[in-house]
């Protein structure tokens, strides 16, 4: 593995993806290669069989070596699932000099980390990221960069994203069994936003909903910073399961129906068409199902899911601070008419998000399903750059973020 | 009561026919009652407080007979109810099943009431046979989940209801008669609760009766003359609307008459109710003395509640508010052996269409 090449791995409920890249001359990430495979031993975003998961990780590492000639030994690990939670906290620092310096900010970052650790039960929770929200200098609130400002009292608001230690350890076990090290971890929802949002969307306010296989996350960006985030333990597998129960099919058949014929709304286009469904078992006859009924089942689940997210975003106070609307990512974002459903329920413009901040991505990976892994790669490259060029504050932040 | 908005009891009319029943009750009651009507069809509102449901989704043109459409529309607009239900402890809902709004919006409203700790008593008519199998099937598809979400449900099959009147009408007259009979019955109940006589039966006692859940039979009878007590008790005893093979757990009895109401008549009614519905059933009796309205007449209203408590699929949240928890582990498909994904007491692994009783043609 070349010294400048970084990697990120995402063990999702549906797919396990490894991406490799490096920072290009324009500062954007150049994707060198992506290797992926259907996941095994993962359900509802959590490892249920370490051996099966390890085998899949080995297979994507081998594929990366075979296809791109790169041997990956260390990768940033993407963490997802409903065990992820957030914690907000505020710290104060009295400056020693009149103008605020990097040293003051570094002290605040150390304090923030200590404070979050003391306020959380760190025997069962692991801190994934600590994100700057904003600063206050004396009585002036909402400051994003206080460097060089004059004041005596500096306040620092942060949002910590933390997760279950037990879940992380299971994933670690599977990855370590495949001889891969994961020294850093990052939250999937944050990665999706990094990759799919434009700078304008991050600045002015936008919501990213990542429709994963086992869970769905949402992330609000405003003023260039992550403001609030969360995970609902319902994903694309729930949609497929609903279809399987309703039409008495296998889960695999339900998945195929969802992908080929699914839609998030029941519209006039959901006519009387019948969909052929082969039995898959020699000697047994197949059957047909109503396309309208299929859309009814999917609509019920997706409508409920989007409304759950609406409720939580509304409770966070950010619903009316999203002038740039909604960007949907994840494998589920490809579901027909999902943008329309989100638009109707939230009353906001919605677009499907693809990786927009990277170079060299192959067309087949330029889809919402790969936004998270490319975002993780962007994060990995940024960490690598800070490691080689950053100052004291970057060093401190790198430890905690 | 001079200010109806101060009442803890509200009447909700849902759907076109539900709104007409509620408007009829309002007229009969002199307008001085706490009332709200809800419909997906903007043309149905007349002279009573009205809230259009699903204006954005359905454009005020109704649900097209679709329960899922009506439910989705209601979800968008339930927030409008918060202000209008301030201080309400008990909601009496009148609606007609068979169309989209009566079934769909009522289900969503019931879930909202439950989440907000408001006890509900639902009077839901079932369509006449002549209205066709599609409307009957639509009514059947929501009955179960309606029972699960209401505290007490009174199903009134219109065929049975109109048969008790002993009249033969053409189709439109039958429909109007059904609406009128429900209006009259619920108006009598309202008088009993809001204008009690010397034996009080108020909204709070009703709430205690219905909060344990169950289904109920509901009937009224009126007679005049010296044997009027015997006539009404005989009519109620034979009423098909009160027949049930299940033991009644509570019976609400309202006696409405003018100044000529005799204690012996109350005793006779009480004795007959106890005999008919079982001595084990808790009896709550109230009277209304209103010479202007009931001069010479004796009217008895019966709400016989059976089942309840354990028959409901409701669970209490930490805040004391109830939520429906529907479906069984066998409905969870590939998540059968997985830890349930719980949110506010609801297992989200159970398919949404099952929890919301959404029907479809495979």
């Amino acid at each position: 593995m070349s010294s400048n090449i970084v990697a990120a791995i995402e063990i999702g409920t549906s797919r396990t993806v490894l991406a490799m890249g490096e920072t290009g001359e324009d500062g954007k990430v150049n994707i060198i290669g992506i290797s992926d495979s259907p996941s095994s031993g993962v359900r509802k975003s959590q490892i249920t069989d370490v051996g099966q998961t390890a085998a899949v990780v080995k297979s994507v590492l081998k594929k990366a070596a075979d296809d791109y000639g790169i041997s990956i030994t260390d990768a940033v690990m993407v963490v997802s699932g409903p065990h992820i939670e957030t914690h907000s906290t505020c710290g104060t620092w009295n400056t020693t000099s009149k103008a605020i310096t990097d040293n003051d900010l570094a002290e605040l970052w150390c304090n923030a980390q200590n404070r979050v650790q003391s306020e959380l039960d760190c025997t069962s929770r692991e801190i994934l990221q600590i994100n700057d929200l904003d600063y206050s200098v004396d009585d002036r609130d909402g400051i994003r960069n206080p460097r060089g400002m004059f004041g005596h009292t500096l306040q620092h608001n942060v949002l910590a994203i933390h997760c279950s230690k037990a879940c992380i350890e299971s994933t670690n076990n599977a990855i370590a069994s495949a001889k891969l090290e994961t020294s850093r971890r990052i939250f999937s929802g944050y990665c999706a936003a990094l990759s799919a949002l434009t700078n304008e969307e991050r600045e002015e306010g936008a919501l990213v909903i990542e429709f994963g296989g086992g869970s769905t996350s949402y992330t609000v960006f405003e003023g260039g910073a992550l403001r609030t985030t969360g995970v609902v333990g319902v994903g694309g597998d729930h949609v497929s399961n609903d279809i399987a129960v309703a039409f008495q099919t296998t889960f695999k058949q339900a998945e195929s129906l969802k992908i080929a014929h699914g839609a998030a709304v029941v519209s006039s286009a959901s006519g009387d068409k019948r969909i052929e469904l082969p039995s898959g078992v020699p000697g047994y006859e197949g059957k047909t199902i109503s396309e309208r009924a299929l859309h009814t089942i999917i609509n019920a689940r997706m409508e409920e899911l989007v409304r759950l997210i609406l409720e939580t975003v509304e409770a966070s106070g950010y619903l009316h601070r999203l002038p740039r609307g909604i960007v949907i990512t994840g494998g589920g974002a490809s579901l027909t008419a999902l943008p329309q459903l989100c638009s109707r329920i939230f009353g906001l413009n919605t677009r499907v998000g693809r990786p927009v901040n990277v170079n060299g991505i192959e067309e087949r990976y330029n889809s919402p399903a790969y936004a998270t892994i490319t975002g993780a790669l962007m994060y990995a490259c940024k960490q690598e750059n800070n490691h080689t060029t950053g100052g004291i504050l970057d060093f401190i932040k790198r430890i905690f973020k | 009561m001079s200010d109806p908005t101060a009442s803890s009891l509200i009447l909700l009319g849902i759907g076109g026919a539900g709104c007409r029943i509620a408007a009829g009750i309002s007229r009969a009651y002199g307008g001085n009652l706490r009332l709200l009507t809800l419909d997906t069809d903007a043309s149905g509102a007349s002279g009573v407080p009205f809230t259009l449901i699903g204006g954005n989704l359905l454009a005020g043109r109704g649900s097209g007979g679709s329960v899922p459409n009506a439910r989705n529309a209601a979800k968008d607009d339930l927030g409008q109810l918060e202000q209008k239900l301030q201080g309400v402890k008990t909601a009496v809902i009148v609606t007609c099943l068979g169309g989209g709004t009566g079934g769909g919006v009522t289900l969503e409203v019931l879930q909202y009431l439950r989440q907000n700790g408001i006890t509900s008593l639902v009077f839901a008519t079932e369509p006449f046979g002549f209205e066709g199998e599609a409307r009957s099937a639509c009514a059947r598809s929501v009955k179960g989940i309606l029972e699960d979400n209401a505290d007490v449900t009174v199903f009134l099959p219109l065929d049975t209801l109109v048969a008790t009147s002993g009249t033969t009408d053409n189709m439109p007259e039958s429909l109007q008669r059904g609406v009128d009979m429900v209006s009259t019955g619920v108006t009598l109940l309202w008088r009993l609760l809001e204008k009690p006589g010397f034996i009080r039966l108020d909204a709070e006692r009703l709430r205690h009766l219905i909060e344990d859940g169950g289904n109920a039979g509901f009937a009224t009878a009126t007679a005049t003359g010296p044997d009027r007590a015997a006539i009404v008790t005989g009519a109620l005893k034979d009423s098909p609307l009160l027949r049930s093979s299940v033991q009644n757990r509570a019976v609400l009895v309202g006696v409405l008459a003018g100044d000529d109401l005799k204690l012996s008549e109350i005793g006779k009614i009480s004795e007959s109710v106890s005999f008919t519905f079982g001595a084990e059933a808790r009896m709550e009796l109230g009277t209304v003395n209103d010479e202007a309205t009931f001069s010479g007449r004796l009217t008895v209203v019966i709400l016989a509640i059976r089942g309840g408590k354990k028959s409901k699929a409701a669970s209490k949240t930490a805040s004391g508010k109830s939520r429906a928890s529907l479906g069984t582990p066998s409905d969870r498909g590939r998540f059968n052996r997985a830890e349930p994904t719980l949110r506010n007491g609801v297992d989200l692994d159970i398919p949404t269409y099952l929890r919301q009783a959404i029907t479809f043609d495979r």
Side-chain angles (χ1 to χ4, degrees):
Chain A
M1 182 171 165
S2 155
S3 60
N4 292 327
I5 295 176
V6 294
I9 187 163
E10 178 190 13
I11 302 177
T13 303
S14 306
R15 299 193 76 73
T16 296
V17 191
L18 177 77
M20 298 147 287
E22 59 189 349
T23 307
E25 286 178 2
D26 61 355
K28 281 191 173 181
V29 172
N30 288 332
I31 305 280
I32 294 171
I34 290 177
S35 161
D36 65 347
S37 171
S39 290
S40 184
V42 187
R43 191 158 289 187
K44 293 208 236 177
S45 302
Q46 291 178 27
I47 306 288
T48 54
D49 188 320
V50 171
Q52 285 181 9
T53 306
V56 174
V57 174
K58 278 180 193 163
S59 78
V60 295
L61 287 170
K62 184 175 182 306
K63 198 164 169 244
D66 293 346
D67 292 355
Y68 304 102
I70 301 170
S71 173
I72 302 294
T73 53
D74 184 75
V76 164
M77 181 173 104
V78 177
V79 181
S80 59
H83 57 99
I84 292 167
E85 293 171 15
T86 60
H87 176 74
S88 300
T89 181
C90 174
T92 304
W93 175 251
N94 292 318
T95 58
T96 50
S97 57
K98 282 185 179 173
I100 293 160
T101 64
D102 267 5
N103 286 338
D104 293 320
L105 300 183
E107 285 288 350
L108 272 175
W109 265 98
C110 286
N111 289 349
Q113 199 254 356
N114 291 334
R115 211 168 47 252
V116 170
Q117 278 185 340
S118 68
E119 288 168 1
L120 290 176
D121 173 14
C122 286
T123 55
S124 64
R125 307 296 297 172
E126 178 163 324
I127 301 166
L128 281 177
Q129 296 169 245
I130 299 177
N131 300 275
D132 273 324
L133 289 176
D134 52 28
Y135 296 87
S136 299
V137 179
D138 294 337
D139 293 332
R140 288 160 289 172
D141 296 332
I143 295 164
R144 283 174 55 192
N145 181 3
R147 277 185 195 82
M149 290 182 72
F150 283 73
H152 298 289
T153 308
L154 187 57
Q155 274 195 347
H156 185 207
N157 296 307
V158 297
L159 179 77
I161 302 174
H162 55 101
C163 65
S164 154
K165 240 178 190 161
C167 290
I168 285 283
E169 279 163 7
S170 299
T171 314
N172 259 347
N173 240 349
I175 290 176
S177 302
K179 306 275 188 284
L180 180 67
E181 282 187 24
T182 52
S183 48
R184 288 180 199 140
R185 287 149 201 154
I186 184 81
F187 168 48
S188 63
Y190 180 75
C191 297
L194 275 187
S195 169
L197 288 184
T198 62
N199 287 338
E200 291 75 20
E201 286 168 335
R202 271 204 288 268
E203 281 298 324
E204 292 173 33
L207 167 70
V208 178
I209 307 176
E210 185 211 11
F211 291 93
S215 58
T216 301
S217 69
Y218 65 89
T219 309
V220 171
F221 264 78
E222 190 207 31
L226 185 154
R227 297 293 165 182
T228 185
T229 189
V231 183
V232 176
V234 173
D237 275 9
H238 285 82
V239 179
S240 302
N241 187 55
D242 290 4
I243 297 168
V245 172
F247 299 108
Q248 295 166 26
T249 69
T250 64
F251 185 80
K252 203 173 168 185
Q253 284 176 318
E255 276 275 306
S256 304
L257 279 170
K258 178 180 75 177
I259 292 165
H261 303 281
V265 298
V266 185
S267 66
S268 51
S270 314
D272 298 329
K273 186 179 161 190
R274 306 289 302 176
I275 303 166
E276 296 282 340
L277 193 64
S279 78
V281 181
Y284 285 83
E285 277 187 17
K287 57 182 170 186
T288 65
I289 64 162
S290 151
E291 188 179 65
R292 190 176 184 82
L294 177 69
H295 295 177
T296 302
I297 299 298
I298 296 173
N299 170 255
R301 175 62 80 174
M302 295 310 294
E303 177 116 13
E304 178 182 61
L305 175 56
V306 175
R307 283 183 191 281
L308 284 176
I309 294 164
L310 172 72
E311 271 176 29
T312 44
V313 174
E314 191 165 26
S316 75
Y318 280 94
L319 183 60
H320 304 294
R321 292 163 67 175
L322 303 168
R324 285 286 184 158
I326 303 170
V327 177
I328 58 172
T329 68
S334 300
L335 180 66
T336 300
L338 186 55
Q340 290 93 309
L341 182 74
C342 293
S343 289
R344 177 169 66 71
I345 291 174
F346 275 86
L348 294 169
N349 289 333
T350 305
R351 71 171 177 86
V352 176
R354 293 182 172 76
V356 291
N357 299 312
V358 293
N359 294 327
I361 192 161
E362 286 178 54
E363 192 49 41
R364 62 184 162 144
Y365 298 124
N366 189 18
S367 88
Y370 293 90
T372 297
I373 194 65
T374 51
L377 202 56
M378 290 168 64
Y379 166 81
C381 283
K382 190 177 172 208
Q383 293 290 301
E384 184 66 19
N385 293 343
N386 287 347
H387 182 63
T388 52
T389 61
I392 181 172
L393 186 57
D394 290 325
F395 173 75
I396 299 283
K397 282 189 173 183
R398 197 169 63 247
I399 296 171
F400 306 129
K401 186 177 174 184
Chain B
M1 187 174 290
S2 56
D3 178 13
T5 60
S7 175
S8 66
L9 183 68
I10 193 167
L11 176 68
L12 299 176
I14 301 178
C19 289
R20 288 201 298 281
I21 293 172
I25 295 167
S26 177
R27 278 193 301 277
Y29 200 70
N32 197 20
L33 79 166
R34 191 167 182 179
L35 165 72
L36 182 62
T37 59
L38 309 169
D39 197 3
T40 54
D41 186 340
S43 65
S46 62
V48 287
F50 174 73
T51 296
L52 178 66
I53 295 293
N56 287 339
L57 188 66
L58 305 172
R61 296 193 192 100
S63 65
S66 159
V67 172
N69 278 354
R71 295 191 73 171
N72 287 339
K75 283 172 185 158
D76 282 335
D77 288 342
L78 287 178
Q80 296 183 57
L81 296 184
E82 188 176 349
Q83 186 65 31
K84 291 165 181 168
L85 295 177
Q86 284 287 329
V88 170
K89 289 183 178 175
T90 307
V92 176
I93 295 175
V94 286
T95 191
C96 295
L97 304 183
T101 305
V105 174
T106 303
L107 290 176
E108 292 301 322
V109 168
L110 284 171
Q111 287 178 357
Y112 179 87
L113 296 176
R114 182 155 284 204
Q115 285 159 20
N116 288 281
I118 298 171
T119 309
S120 57
L121 169 62
V122 179
F123 291 89
T125 66
E126 295 176 64
F128 285 106
F130 63 68
E131 293 182 68
E133 177 53 25
R135 286 182 65 83
S136 297
C138 181
R140 282 197 302 272
S141 74
V142 296
K143 276 180 73 178
I145 193 164
L146 205 136
E147 284 177 292
D148 281 327
N149 285 281
D151 285 292
V152 168
T153 322
V154 183
F155 290 116
L156 298 165
L158 285 173
D159 284 318
T160 312
L161 188 67
V162 171
T164 60
S165 71
T167 55
T168 51
D169 298 318
N170 60 27
M171 194 167 79
E173 285 169 345
S174 293
L175 287 167
Q176 188 56 47
R177 181 171 293 277
V179 165
D180 289 346
M181 289 180 77
V182 179
S183 279
T184 305
V186 179
T187 304
L188 292 170
L189 180 68
W190 218 266
R191 280 186 196 280
L192 187 67
L193 298 170
E194 296 262 276
K195 294 183 177 171
F198 58 85
I199 302 176
R200 291 181 63 86
L201 183 61
D202 57 19
E204 198 54 22
R205 283 172 74 185
L206 172 72
R207 193 169 71 83
H208 284 304
L209 264 187
I210 63 177
E211 68 184 0
D212 286 335
N215 288 322
F218 180 74
T220 66
T222 297
T224 55
D227 295 329
R228 61 188 189 174
I231 295 168
V232 290
T233 53
L236 290 168
K237 193 177 159 191
D238 294 336
S239 172
L241 295 167
L242 294 174
R243 268 181 219 141
S244 170
S245 57
V246 180
Q247 171 66 46
N248 293 285
R249 70 166 173 79
V251 185
L252 182 150
V253 185
V255 181
L256 303 93
D259 292 341
D260 56 349
L261 177 64
K262 298 182 181 73
L263 272 177
S264 61
E265 289 177 317
I266 296 174
K268 190 171 274 183
I269 292 163
S270 172
E271 194 180 311
S272 170
V273 166
S274 183
F275 178 79
T276 306
F277 297 99
E280 307 80 21
R282 172 183 161 193
M283 183 166 41
E284 292 280 0
L285 190 141
T287 61
V288 170
N289 297 95
D290 182 351
E291 178 63 21
T293 310
F294 296 102
S295 179
R297 284 195 292 144
L298 174 68
T299 296
V300 174
V301 179
I302 297 277
L303 181 74
I305 305 172
R306 50 242 177 192
K309 291 185 178 172
K310 288 169 188 161
S311 68
K312 286 274 168 181
S315 59
K316 295 273 181 188
T317 63
S319 64
K321 294 171 180 177
S322 304
R323 279 184 187 270
S325 176
L326 303 166
T328 64
S330 63
D331 299 323
R332 300 172 81 238
R334 79 172 342 218
F335 301 125
N336 261 351
R337 287 191 294 277
E339 193 75 15
T341 304
L342 295 174
R343 194 173 175 106
N344 295 330
V346 176
D347 182 359
L348 297 178
D349 291 338
I350 297 171
T352 311
Y353 79 91
L354 282 176
R355 283 184 279 114
Q356 297 187 356
I358 292 170
T359 55
F360 57 91
D361 181 3
R362 283 192 179 88

